Amino acid sequence: MIPFVDLKQQYTANQAAYEQAMREVCMDASYILGPQVARFEQHFAEFLGVAHAIGVASGSDALRMSCQVLGLGPGDEVLIPVNTFIATASAVHEASATPVPVDIDAVTFHMDLNAAEQRVTENTKAIIPVHLYGQAVDMSAVKAFAVRHRLLIIEDACQAHGAKWENARAGAFGAAGCFSFYPVKNLGGFGDGGMIVTNQEAHAHRLRLMRNYGSVEKYVHEVSGTNSRLDSIQAAVLDVKLNSLDAWNQKRFQAACRYSELLAEVDEVTPPAFDAHRAARHVFHLYVIQCERRKELVAWLTEQGTQTGIHYPVPIHLHPAYRHLGSGPGSYPVAESQAKRILSLPMFPEITEEQIETVVRAIKGFYARRTA
Ligand SMILES: *Cc1c(COP(=O)(O)O)cnc(C)c1O
């Protein structure tokens, strides 16, 4: 049995440190916005090389509150890639702005900036590049695009903790960078959590108010806010895990290299495109192949004991929730055709060479059987 991810191994490998960290929170009963949150925010900001990090309740909240703090609202259009997790779109929508999906590049799976040109209107105010699957977006190109069209950049780095574009980390380029600590992410807590990073003091200050009912001090509300805080217990655990993040990402990268080496022999499979000489550019939150006869392959792999996933089976515009955006089937040809071919293979830092070989052997077996 080869699981898609294996969180238990990560826990048992460093169990004493996690439990000690959680015990400390319980001992001083600092459950909400305690010193553990401030410490982790500080460490996360240092890790990313940014001035401020603000812990919030989830990656979705990080995206929504970033839109709000940057003043996006009714009538404002925000460019997003059409193949992403639904939260990228819903966060914009929840901030009362309009998500404008853009087709993706067939090779990188990132937003296609040529296609984005066609979607810019006088109402376009921001662009959300998504560092999808853990691969850093070409931020030089996004920055040039944003300058040309006078757009704000909000990075969705929810799958790319630690990834680098040139010399800076994903999340450190935009007006705001957003992270999720959902358990299976590259840096995952023991529950929900999120973070916004920014270099702008005024935004950081306002976000700290917004996440805590807008209060400056108890019962003094300067701005309208909400309840979206990172739990101290999550911060304490994440602070321990942050020390291992680069090493874990390195292991994911090595696993990806091994998969790609073995899969090069399979004609029916296209491994992900990435630069094998720049380890940090892709932190492989997911290892996504393109394949023929996916449905049958998935059934075969399941039967053989290998779990797989699809990220994502339905592009944003084809969900009932976003039908009002007015684009039906055929509107985003690249994303729509890729959605039928993509398949995510088991990927986690602890995956063994043997497990990778077993997965690839099963894939080879499937195509050999069918062509024989
Ligand atoms: C996980 C994820 C989110 C949302 O994060 P939550 O913490 O689950 O709210 C947003 N965007 C992308 C690309 C994600 O992978």
Side-chain angles (χ1 to χ4, degrees), residues 57-63 84-88 130-133 156-159 179-182 185 192-194 285 312:
S58 67
S60 304
D61 274 0
L63 287 161
T84 179
F85 182 54
I86 196 75
T88 317
V130 179
H131 303 279
L132 198 72
Y133 306 151
D156 182 340
C158 289
Q159 300 187 354
F179 292 86
S180 163
F181 302 124
Y182 182 72
K185 305 287 166 132
D192 277 312
H285 172 58
Y312 294 88

Side-chain angles (χ1 to χ4, degrees), residues 121-365:
T121 72
E122 59 187 14
N123 297 321
T124 312
K125 297 287 160 58
I127 180 169
I128 304 186
V130 179
H131 303 279
L132 198 72
Y133 306 151
Q135 177 149 245
V137 167
D138 177 345
M139 289 309 295
S140 319
V142 170
K143 271 179 145 175
F145 182 90
V147 167
R148 196 158 65 246
H149 296 289
R150 298 178 190 210
L151 307 179
L152 293 161
I153 300 173
I154 299 171
E155 294 176 74
D156 182 340
C158 289
Q159 300 187 354
H161 319 65
K164 274 185 177 168
W165 173 256
E166 303 303 345
N167 293 319
R169 306 253 192 196
F173 293 87
C178 303
F179 292 86
S180 163
F181 302 124
Y182 182 72
V184 301
K185 305 287 166 132
N186 289 36
L187 182 61
F190 295 168
D192 277 312
M195 188 79 91
I196 304 165
V197 300
T198 179
N199 283 315
Q200 297 172 41
E201 166 82 46
H203 294 331
H205 173 72
R206 199 176 173 90
L207 286 165
R208 286 181 199 286
L209 302 183
M210 282 168 63
R211 71 171 170 187
N212 195 27
Y213 318 110
S215 61
V216 200
E217 58 183 91
K218 218 166 194 176
Y219 311 124
V220 180
H221 302 275
E222 199 171 276
V223 300
S224 171
T226 178
N227 174 357
S228 180
R229 300 171 299 218
L230 180 64
D231 283 340
S232 302
I233 285 193
Q234 301 306 339
V237 165
L238 290 163
D239 201 41
V240 174
K241 286 195 172 194
L242 184 59
N243 296 318
S244 304
L245 180 58
D246 277 334
W248 286 333
N249 284 343
Q250 190 70 34
K251 286 186 176 171
R252 289 174 180 270
F253 190 84
Q254 281 159 5
C257 289
R258 188 67 185 136
Y259 263 130
S260 289
E261 197 180 316
L262 296 172
L263 286 169
E265 298 162 20
V266 187
D267 291 342
E268 294 87 348
V269 168
T270 309
F274 65 99
D275 188 340
H277 301 292
R278 295 184 197 230
R281 191 165 282 184
H282 200 325
V283 294
F284 285 97
H285 172 58
L286 296 166
Y287 182 85
V288 180
I289 61 169
Q290 294 171 56
C291 62
E292 308 290 330
R293 299 197 300 274
R294 182 178 66 188
K295 202 172 163 200
E296 294 159 74
L297 175 61
V298 168
W300 168 263
L301 289 174
T302 307
E303 201 180 294
Q304 309 271 309
T306 291
Q307 290 179 345
T308 57
I310 299 172
H311 301 85
Y312 294 88
V314 180
I316 298 292
H317 67 296
L318 298 178
H319 285 282
Y322 292 99
R323 213 166 269 157
H324 68 273
L325 296 176
S327 35
S331 309
Y332 299 94
V334 180
E336 287 172 40
S337 94
Q338 302 292 59
K340 299 190 182 94
R341 293 171 46 82
I342 50 181
L343 183 67
S344 311
L345 302 181
M347 172 56 82
F348 47 94
E350 300 82 5
I351 193 167
T352 65
E353 174 96 24
E354 199 188 330
Q355 286 175 313
I356 293 170
E357 284 165 10
T358 305
V359 174
V360 175
R361 205 177 310 119
I363 293 172
K364 283 183 178 167

